[in-house]
Amino acid sequence: MNSELLLMFTLGCDRAYLYAHPERELTPEEQSRYEAALAERTRGVPAQYITGHQEFWGMDLIVSPAVLIPRPETEHVIEAVRELAGVARVGGQACPERSRRECPPHTIRIADVGTGSGCIALALARELPDAEIHATDISAAALEVARANAARHQLESRIQFHQTDLLAGLKPDFDFIVSNPPYVGESEEDQVQLEVRKFEPRVAVFAGPKGIEVITRLISQAQAALRPGGWLVMEISGTISEEVRGLLDGWEEVRIAPDLQGIPRVARARKPRG
Ligand SMILES: C[S@@+](CC[C@H](N)C(=O)[O-])C[C@H]1O[C@@H](n2cnc3c(N)ncnc32)[C@H](O)[C@@H]1O
């Protein structure tokens, strides 16, 4: 699959073309570019960093070693927000509350914390065309990629990007705080795939010694930045799911949903309204 993918990348063609033209020979220049790509892959560089692309939520996104490669399981985060926001729609605007009475028309405000490639913010901008979306990252290089992706999908006017620590400096009263934060512990580093350890940004993967450090700070900041009744939706790992549940004590409607492999993956919790 990798050699096929890198061949498509070298020739700028799709799979159908490869199979329709088995007679096609590589020019010496193509051959040398293909071999260079294969050599990179052999060295362990993820194919997405070689091709510069990854698909997420049906969108072709640019990726570079400055950002985490978007994973399919992160799409469960989008599904969760879509479900919560779409329960009631008032005046064409998605509303996270269940009834019209409880929820007068307003523009919903979303923050995507640790946006990386921008995948979550972009997918939500597509799904919720009336929402006001903010995306933060501590890494200037990641934000550059996210901005490029927003422009590529004509969504740059929909998302406000901020280089900051989690939610610092953002105006509060969000309806949703959404995040796929770093959640791997440095103590479990040797269990992390070598490709991830060697090539993906450390700040995107590791949260601190235990893995829960960024999430702990995020939950406390989200408590202050959400409006009453607003939702925190986070991607997590199975390793820390019980600790996350403990940290969400006092929140309402706490649920941790599994991914397709049955691993606890998406935590949601509602800020009490009272
Ligand atoms: C696991 S990656 C997620 C990227 C993207 N949202 C995704 O789902 O593919 C975590 C991101 O959080 C950013 N990050 C790490 N610590 C942060 C902090 N304290 N404040 C803001 N962003 C942070 C990293 O730079 C990285 O882009």
Side-chain angles (χ1 to χ4, degrees), residues 179-189 191-192 204-219 233-249 254-257 262-268:
S179 185
N180 174 16
Y183 53 65
V184 181
E186 283 150 4
S187 55
E188 44 182 348
E189 185 160 350
Q191 291 154 46
V192 176
V205 177
F206 295 101
K210 296 202 313 205
I212 193 76
E213 293 82 352
V214 174
I215 286 181
T216 305
R217 289 200 303 121
L218 177 60
I219 290 176
V233 180
M234 293 179 296
E235 179 172 322
I236 62 163
S237 74
T239 326
I240 57 168
S241 65
E242 283 318 304
E243 273 178 276
V244 171
R245 198 183 286 284
L247 290 169
L248 291 169
D249 189 32
V254 176
R255 184 171 143 204
I256 299 183
I263 299 168
R265 189 60 70 193
V266 179
R268 65 166 75 162

Side-chain angles (χ1 to χ4, degrees), residues 62-73:
I62 297 167
V63 292
S64 81
V67 298
L68 189 94
I69 298 163
R71 307 293 206 271
E73 55 268 29

Side-chain angles (χ1 to χ4, degrees), residues 27-75:
T27 65
E29 188 269 335
E30 287 166 345
Q31 181 76 31
S32 105
R33 280 194 293 118
Y34 183 46
E35 278 168 16
L38 284 177
E40 284 289 271
R41 186 70 194 101
T42 309
R43 194 165 74 79
V45 179
Q48 294 91 333
Y49 288 154
I50 302 172
T51 63
H53 293 266
Q54 171 64 27
E55 191 191 308
F56 184 85
W57 203 254
M59 291 178 288
D60 177 48
L61 299 184
I62 297 167
V63 292
S64 81
V67 298
L68 189 94
I69 298 163
R71 307 293 206 271
E73 55 268 29
T74 303
E75 295 191 338

Side-chain angles (χ1 to χ4, degrees), residues 68 70 74 114-116 119-120 137-139 164-166 180-182 203-204 217:
L68 189 94
T74 303
T115 197
C119 59
I120 294 178
D137 208 291
I138 204 152
S139 155
T164 190
D165 179 19
L166 303 180
N180 174 16
V203 68
R217 289 200 303 121

Side-chain angles (χ1 to χ4, degrees), residues 130-184:
D130 303 309
E132 175 187 318
I133 299 181
H134 296 259
T136 79
D137 208 291
I138 204 152
S139 155
L143 283 169
E144 240 176 76
V145 175
R147 282 198 184 94
N149 278 319
R152 192 173 158 78
H153 292 279
Q154 288 86 46
L155 292 168
E156 67 267 54
S157 63
R158 295 287 322 286
I159 304 169
Q160 297 173 49
F161 293 98
H162 311 263
Q163 185 184 3
T164 190
D165 179 19
L166 303 180
L167 289 154
L170 268 69
K171 193 170 139 269
D173 278 337
F174 285 101
D175 297 272
F176 287 94
I177 291 175
V178 181
S179 185
N180 174 16
Y183 53 65
V184 181

